[in-house]
Amino acid sequence: MAAETPALPGAELFHPRVRLRKGLGSAFLVLGVASVVFGLAMLAFLVFDVVERAIPWLRVEFLTQFDSRFSDRAGIKAGLYGTAYMMFFTILISFPLGVMSAIYLEEYARDSWPKTVIQINIANLAGVPSIVYGLLGLTVFVRWMALGRSVLAGALTMALLVLPIIIVATQEALRAVPSSIRDASYGVGATRWQTIWHHVLPQALPGILTGNILAASRAIGETAPLITIGALTFVPFTPQSPLDRFTALPIQIFNWTSKPQAEFHDLAAAAILTLLVVLLTMNSLAILLRNRAVRRRAG
Amino acid sequence: MRRVSLAAVAALAGVVAVLAVACDGSRGPGALPRSPDLPPPPNQQQLRPLKGEIIIDGSSTVFPVTQAAAEEFRRYAPDVRISVGISGTGGGFKKFCAGETDVQDASRPIRDTEIEACAQRGIEFIEVPVAFDGIAVVASPRNAFLTCLTTPELKTLWRPEAQGKVTRWKQVRASFPDQPIKLFGPGTDSGTFDYFTDAINQKEKASRGDFQASEDDNVLVQGVANDPTALGYFGFAYYAENVGKLKLLAVDGGHGCVEPSFETIANSTYQPLSRPLFIYVRRTAAERAEVRAFVEFYLSKSFTPVISTREVGYVQLADPIYVALTKRFRAMRTGTLWPQGIEIGATLDRYLQ
């Protein structure tokens, strides 16, 4: 079998079994490819199914009308506005809070047991089921702070939900900045603040933005916390202030899929497609920003 | 760097703005065409200038009726902002008795504990039944032997003691074939489950647990439709939307087999599986012009025929009852007429006095 084996001590213990090992290798490759194909096929099937059912319902009126009991008059204006307003405030609240917390934990806080405790808690909070945040939001924002079932209460709840994700992602991004950059900055006499602002943050920005995109994408599709805090279902008006009542796209979708009339199930598909488009627009905008940030630093 | 983060905020604001521009087309109530067969309310002129907010929450079963009422009302009173939520009957009463909502949708009468909670906050309520709902018992169209079941047979099938024991159709009626039983029903949080168990097993929430439960009635429809040995129950509206896929069973409540239909539910011959649906109006809210106008519209001939249309799927009450209810509402008669909770097979004649 293995002719070139030299007379090394213990060589007789080595069984090349090249065939078997190569076979295992290719089997693993096949398995990997199959997994990818399976995942993509499922996704393609789902997207195809949604698009196919949604197409006939995608008209301008679908975006400009409020919900109705007649399928041909039902639209998602209230959900679209509600989601847009809520996401705007969610990002406005969670982005600065999350990034600043991460900067503190990563750049300022000394390694001590309080930091470890906080760190572990943040990591755990990222895995808490969203309904728990809904209950927290109901108790703290809706009842205790008496914000009611408002856009702001929804945004604050969502902000809590995504904060751990943002903090963890931002910390990762800050950690990836080589310490030589910090050392060089200190070396020319920069303060800690100048170092962070002029060197660490720009370097980490693409990573921070990616983390925030992922966090916002999670928030936009969440239904459970919104239902818990009491976001409404039939709202034939758009919110006029952050303290106004609202509904959101996922709630609209949930409501339509549970209706007996089959047309509403297709309308739900159209709403799902709209939600996907909103999500992709948001993501591509953030990616665009990220690429600009990267280019600017390179140039 | 500062410019970049500003740009980020600006861009996010941009998304919102783009969405707003994209959506800002037809606005206002003029877009809704009027159904020709419904007379406009006589007080049409007084409705138009009305302003204000009406916050409604509660049962998901009653939601389609109240949603339709709000939608129709908006054509006449475009500046009254009505929102309807679905927290369930129990969850809704918590908010109603905390004074957070003006009107409560309920698929059962208010309970003693809820009356107490309301009383503690000084909240008085006016009880208004608005429609009837029937629970349909269905099988697959491929099922040959099921056409009518008596209430004792339904109890044999569904009582808690049947769990794991009643598993073949032969056990329900000797003439049935020796085939396995597959049961489908709504989840335990649903008002339909509460009423069915109360009506069939004489105890609310007492049911066998080994059945396929789903909060989504469309899942139940699919499950029953595809299995010739299956039986399930859910709101009549879900049957009405899936007539070809399901076989409707008649129920014998002691006076012969009766199939549910808009007629048999309305005239209370489909017993014991039809029940009234309610709205509860906070007394202090009912003193506001817009709330009063909305509830009176809800009970008027300009709206009630909508309840029995395909889009809503429930059964409207008899006209004299709506007239009596309107009078009661105008007189602000508070309190419940169901001190013992829902009575199986009861009519709404009590509101006529």
Side-chain angles (χ1 to χ4, degrees), chain A residues 64 67-70 73 80 91 143 149 233-234 236-237 244-245 257-259 261 263 265 285 296, chain B residues 4 11-12 23 33 53 55 57 67 71-72 74 81-84 86 95 100 218 238 310-311:
Chain A
T64 59
D67 190 14
S68 165
R69 67 181 192 281
F70 299 102
R73 287 186 215 156
L80 212 51
I91 293 167
R143 298 260 158 85
R149 309 131 143 240
T233 308
F234 178 68
F237 49 83
D244 219 340
R245 290 163 289 156
T257 50
S258 60
K259 286 195 112 165
Q261 295 88 356
E263 310 93 85
H265 306 164
L285 222 98
R296 184 173 301 181
Chain B
V4 174
L12 287 165
C23 312
E53 306 234 333
I55 305 179
D57 207 329
Q67 181 198 18
E71 192 183 351
E72 289 298 310
R74 214 164 79 88
R81 308 203 315 159
I82 304 178
S83 59
V84 192
I86 35 179
K95 291 172 181 159
E100 289 171 19
N218 291 309
Y238 287 84
R310 178 181 172 238
E311 286 76 25

Side-chain angles (χ1 to χ4, degrees), chain A residues 236-237 245, chain B residues 47-54 70 73-74 76-83 288-291 293-294:
Chain A
F237 49 83
R245 290 163 289 156
Chain B
L47 292 184
R48 191 149 287 277
L50 285 177
K51 278 191 173 55
E53 306 234 333
I54 306 178
F73 187 66
R74 214 164 79 88
Y76 303 109
D79 293 329
V80 178
R81 308 203 315 159
I82 304 178
S83 59
R288 298 191 336 240
E290 70 275 12
V291 177
F294 173 67

Side-chain angles (χ1 to χ4, degrees), chain A:
Chain A
M1 270 229 251
E4 75 278 16
T5 320
L8 284 168
E12 71 280 2
L13 293 174
F14 177 64
H15 306 293
R17 288 183 299 193
V18 175
R19 268 250 189 78
L20 179 72
R21 287 188 291 131
K22 283 200 164 167
L24 275 177
S26 3
F28 189 75
L29 178 70
V30 169
L31 212 70
V33 171
S35 305
V36 170
V37 169
F38 178 75
L40 283 180
M42 286 304 274
L43 179 70
F45 171 74
L46 286 176
V47 169
F48 177 76
D49 183 52
V50 165
V51 170
E52 194 200 15
R53 294 169 59 172
I55 290 281
W57 296 96
L58 284 177
R59 296 158 299 139
V60 182
E61 295 88 73
F62 182 67
L63 300 176
T64 59
Q65 284 169 337
F66 292 112
D67 190 14
S68 165
R69 67 181 192 281
F70 299 102
S71 53
D72 54 336
R73 287 186 215 156
I76 48 165
K77 185 175 179 181
L80 212 51
Y81 268 79
T83 291
Y85 277 103
M86 189 188 71
M87 286 312 297
F88 176 73
F89 286 108
T90 302
I91 293 167
L92 208 66
I93 297 161
S94 62
F95 187 95
L97 266 182
V99 172
M100 285 194 286
S101 308
I103 291 175
Y104 172 75
L105 284 172
E106 210 48 46
E107 303 290 330
Y108 288 92
R110 246 178 274 141
D111 277 321
S112 58
W113 67 265
K115 190 195 160 184
T116 318
V117 170
I118 291 174
Q119 202 65 66
I120 290 172
N121 272 307
I122 289 173
N124 282 334
L125 281 175
V128 167
S130 57
I131 186 111
V132 176
Y133 287 98
L135 289 169
L136 184 70
L138 178 69
T139 314
V140 176
F141 303 128
V142 177
R143 298 260 158 85
W144 187 64
M145 287 172 69
L147 292 175
R149 309 131 143 240
S150 58
V151 177
L152 195 60
L156 283 166
T157 309
M158 284 300 183
L160 277 189
L161 178 83
V162 298
L163 260 180
I165 307 173
I166 294 182
I167 295 176
V168 170
T170 308
Q171 278 187 292
E172 293 290 338
L174 292 172
R175 222 169 288 155
V177 178
S179 50
S180 56
I181 289 186
R182 293 187 185 84
D183 295 342
S185 175
Y186 290 136
V188 295
T191 62
R192 183 177 270 191
W193 165 242
Q194 287 171 321
T195 304
I196 292 170
W197 186 247
H198 293 287
H199 301 283
V200 178
L201 265 185
Q203 187 89 19
L205 191 66
I208 294 175
L209 279 175
T210 312
N212 278 278
I213 298 166
L214 289 175
S217 312
R218 163 137 191 232
I220 201 171
E222 279 290 350
T223 323
L226 287 181
I227 290 183
T228 320
I229 65 159
L232 297 149
T233 308
F234 178 68
V235 185
F237 49 83
T238 53
Q240 278 159 14
S241 83
L243 291 174
D244 219 340
R245 290 163 289 156
F246 75 110
T247 187
L249 279 177
I251 293 187
Q252 192 76 72
I253 293 165
F254 174 71
N255 177 241
W256 280 345
T257 50
S258 60
K259 286 195 112 165
Q261 295 88 356
E263 310 93 85
F264 278 98
H265 306 164
D266 293 345
L267 268 180
I272 289 169
L273 201 64
T274 316
L275 184 63
L276 276 178
V277 169
V278 172
L279 186 71
L280 289 179
T281 315
M282 226 169 75
N283 286 5
S284 42
L285 222 98
I287 290 169
L288 220 80
L289 275 174
R290 189 180 71 191
N291 291 349
R292 254 189 51 181
V294 172
R295 259 206 316 278
R296 184 173 301 181
R297 211 181 51 248

Side-chain angles (χ1 to χ4, degrees), chain B residues 165-210:
Chain B
K165 296 210 181 77
V166 181
T167 53
R168 318 286 298 178
W169 279 108
K170 213 168 65 174
Q171 292 168 278
V172 178
R173 193 189 287 176
S175 60
F176 285 166
D178 189 15
Q179 284 178 1
I181 297 173
K182 267 199 98 179
L183 294 174
F184 292 83
T188 53
D189 279 342
S190 127
T192 311
F193 173 81
D194 288 353
Y195 187 82
F196 185 87
T197 47
D198 192 4
I200 297 298
N201 300 332
Q202 283 84 44
K203 191 163 182 277
E204 207 168 275
K205 294 200 185 289
S207 167
R208 69 191 295 172
D210 54 345

